[in-house]
Amino acid sequence: MSKYICSICGYIHDEATGVLWDDLGADWVCPLCKADKSAFQNQEAKAKIAPVTETLELDDDLRELSVLEMSILCSNLAKGCEKQYQGEEAELFTKLATYFKAAAPAVEGDTKDLTALVEEDLTQHMVLANQIATTHGDRGAQRALVWGEKVTMILQSLLKRYAQEGDAMLAHTNVYVCTICGFIYIGDTPPELCPVCKVPSWKFERVEGGQTHG
């Protein structure tokens, strides 16, 4: 009998309970975080995975951020200031985020484009960021990257489901986002604890029509 662990929230499916992994349907999802089966790893196989030794190099020429990226950056900085009770700074960053968002052109593309960007984040950018944080012994950055990787993995899982189910996936249900780590949850009510950062459900906001509601 094997155990399979969710790489996002840590939930363990133990075949000893009577249900074999292969007997779970293709549409089965994690009971805690709703990740699909691809997010699970055999616990024995996971223990045998060798550490990454390849070193990625950062380009010397750093490109200028787009206005939409600036909006996202300022929005994240605003939330960071809020958590440190710096209200004035949070308000200023929020104004900047709103300004850049209004100036951003409409985003074109589909879920395939977004899926490709998510794959690139997981296989390249986060690997590089982890290497840099480890080299400099930045434990705060390493912790943030752990959260970021898990949140990106659930986004990848949701995109795969959406590619298969389409709009039916979002019919008659709600979408929630954790205001602390960005974890996305689809269900009638948010989980009691965020599967990634473990904050209580009142830290989740409901997303509706592109807007969040507390």
Side-chain angles (χ1 to χ4, degrees):
M1 294 294 180
S2 298
K3 294 181 180 179
Y4 293 81
I5 184 170
C6 177
S7 55
I8 296 172
C9 69
Y11 174 82
I12 297 176
H13 175 78
D14 190 347
E15 290 184 323
T17 59
V19 182
L20 298 179
W21 180 252
D22 291 339
D23 290 341
L24 294 172
D27 58 349
W28 182 86
V29 296
C30 175
L32 293 183
C33 70
K34 305 300 183 182
D36 62 22
K37 291 180 70 175
S38 65
F40 281 73
Q41 292 179 322
N42 184 297
Q43 205 167 36
E44 294 180 0
K46 181 180 179 181
K48 298 177 182 178
I49 296 177
V52 176
T53 56
E54 180 183 0
T55 300
L56 300 178
E57 294 183 0
L58 185 66
D59 293 336
D60 292 333
D61 297 326
L62 299 179
R63 66 175 177 81
E64 183 178 350
L65 294 177
S66 69
V67 287
L68 185 56
E69 289 170 329
M70 286 295 296
S71 174
I72 295 171
L73 175 61
C74 290
S75 177
N76 287 339
L77 288 170
K79 290 180 179 178
C81 289
E82 287 176 359
K83 291 174 179 56
Q84 297 179 52
Y85 304 102
Q86 297 176 337
E88 183 178 353
E89 291 83 351
E91 183 178 355
L92 291 173
F93 276 123
T94 298
K95 289 181 178 179
L96 284 171
T98 302
Y99 169 79
F100 284 118
K101 183 177 181 180
V107 177
E108 298 181 357
D110 54 26
T111 55
K112 291 183 179 179
D113 298 324
L114 182 55
T115 300
L117 291 173
V118 169
E119 293 279 356
E120 185 178 346
D121 274 346
L122 288 172
T123 59
Q124 297 183 40
H125 301 156
M126 287 192 174
V127 174
L128 175 59
N130 271 299
Q131 289 176 348
I132 294 173
T134 301
T135 299
H136 292 277
D138 191 334
R139 297 180 63 184
Q142 288 174 300
R143 182 183 182 190
L145 285 166
V146 168
W147 285 5
E149 185 173 12
K150 291 178 181 293
V151 167
T152 306
M153 288 175 66
I154 193 62
L155 177 57
Q156 180 188 51
S157 178
L158 292 173
L159 286 169
K160 288 180 180 178
R161 284 182 56 195
Y162 186 79
Q164 297 174 346
E165 303 174 27
D167 291 340
M169 170 183 164
L170 304 175
H172 311 297
T173 189
N174 296 315
V175 179
Y176 296 91
V177 60
C178 175
T179 58
I180 303 302
C181 69
F183 174 79
I184 301 170
Y185 183 84
I186 296 178
D188 294 335
T189 58
E192 293 185 5
L193 293 177
C194 174
V196 173
C197 67
K198 310 306 179 186
V199 296
S201 60
W202 63 270
K203 289 288 188 179
F204 278 77
E205 291 184 348
R206 182 167 56 89
V207 178
E208 182 177 340
Q211 303 292 326
T212 56
H213 302 269

